Each structure stands twice: as C-alpha cells, then as structure tokens.
Amino acid sequence: MKNKLLILLPLLYCMACQQAAKNDSPQWVSLFNGKDLSDWIVKIHHHEVGDNFGNTFRVQDSIIQVRYDQYGDFNDQFGHLYYKQPFSHYHLKFEYRFVGKWYPSAPDYTLLNSGVMFHSQDPRSMPKEQDWPISVEMQLLAGLGDGNARPTGNMCSPGTNVVYKGKLDPQHCIESSSKTYDGEQWVRGELIVLGDSLITHIINGDTVLQYSQPQIGGGVVNNYNPAIKIDGKLLSEGYIALQSEGQPVDFRNIRILDLSPRK
C-alpha cells in the first residue's frame, strides 16, 4: 500500500499543478456586451468627453454602428469610442465592415476609411478642440472599386512614431501587405501588442505588418495639452478606441486576450 501511495502522490501533484496552471491561464474576454455602450467612453472633436454627438456611436443587433444621419455639416467632427480601461500586452480580435454612403462633407480621404486606435491617451485628457488622440492606429480601408490595390490593416501615427525595418520611420502611415477588400463584407482584424516592444497587424488570418517601439512624437494632432505630448516617450500601454471620421462602419465580436508578463 505504501509503495502505491509513493507512486500515486507525484501523479496527483502533477495533475493538480496542471489544473492550477489551466485555471490561471488568460482567457478571451469580450469588450462589448452586445447591448449598449456602458463600458465605453465617447470623445468627438468640438465636443466634451462623454458627448455622443448626433448619436454617432450606437448599438443594434449586437453591432456597434458608426453613423452620421443626425449631422449637419461634418465640420471635422472626428470621433473615437474608447474602452473604459487601458491595456499593455494583449491580443485583440474584432470584425468590421464598411456600409452605406460616405458623408459628403467629410474630408475625401475618409472615404471607406476607419480605424482602431491603441496605446491612446486617456480621452479625459483631451481638450474639447483636440482633433485626434495621441495614439497608434490600425487603419482600416476598403477597395474603391477601381481595380487598384488598397490594402487594409495599415499603421498610422497621430502624434506618435514607430520603429519600422530597424529605424524610426517618419511616415504618418505605413502600408501593410494585405489584400484589398471591398466594402459591405465583414473583415477580421487582429492586433498583437507587446507593450512598447513588437506590434503585429493581422487581417483575415494573415500577418500583414510588424513594427516596434511605439512612442510619442510626430505631427497631425492639433490643440493637445502640451504636458501630455512628451516626444520620445515610449508607449507601453494605453486605451483602445474605434474611430468615426465620415464613413459609416460596423464593428462586432471585439475580444481581448491578456498577454501581460506573468511571474
């Protein structure tokens, strides 16, 4: 009996360790409850934080919709919908599709154009007249139906810079290697963000862009609080936000996996 116990105890211990490790492993978490925007914060240019002007961001059929049917002149009212807490190391998955007609008084570059911002400043730190958040953007584009390539999953850098191919890249946007996807179809996007280290963009399962060392710097952002924009400061965490800039777009199945380093 004693010999059997000597054999069984290590096995039971190993099984218990495996179960504990399984229970402690990170799990996918939905950022969107499918019913309302209670976990999200709105900030739209020319408006105070929390003012969802024109019901820009709304929920229907478990989809976050971005719409402009209650706007007059667009008036550069670029908007962003921020999840309520910042993240550092994570794997983000979401689906998006462009729908309907582009709002005609929006800037023409916003045609079939949206994005997911990350490592963003807190929206509550943005003055009313700040146009874009200091952040990094996974830019989302659709084909224009003209037969020309228009990749999606690009990187744009409002108030930031990144290291690309071994050097600090001054381009505001870096094009990905993705295919061109026309509007009115769901496209799967993924971001793997490792703090201030490696960033990976994935579209429909294909890795389309990688870069590293996101940091504050560069231009594009206007009317920010100078105390926030500390050029050269590495960005190791920040808020995730969905963009509105003139093109109706839908988002769904927004999930995150925590990849924070564990002891």
Side-chain angles (χ1 to χ4, degrees), residues 98 111-112 141-151 179-183:
F98 294 107
L111 175 62
L112 294 173
L141 300 175
L144 299 176
D146 55 7
N148 294 321
R150 198 175 190 231
K179 300 174 183 177
T180 299
Y181 297 92
D182 291 333

Side-chain angles (χ1 to χ4, degrees), residues 121 125 127 130 134 216 223-231 233:
Q121 69 182 107
S125 70
Q130 183 173 337
I134 297 170
I216 298 176
N223 302 316
Y224 52 82
N225 180 352
I228 300 294
K229 195 171 184 294
I230 306 171
D231 288 357
K233 179 182 177 180

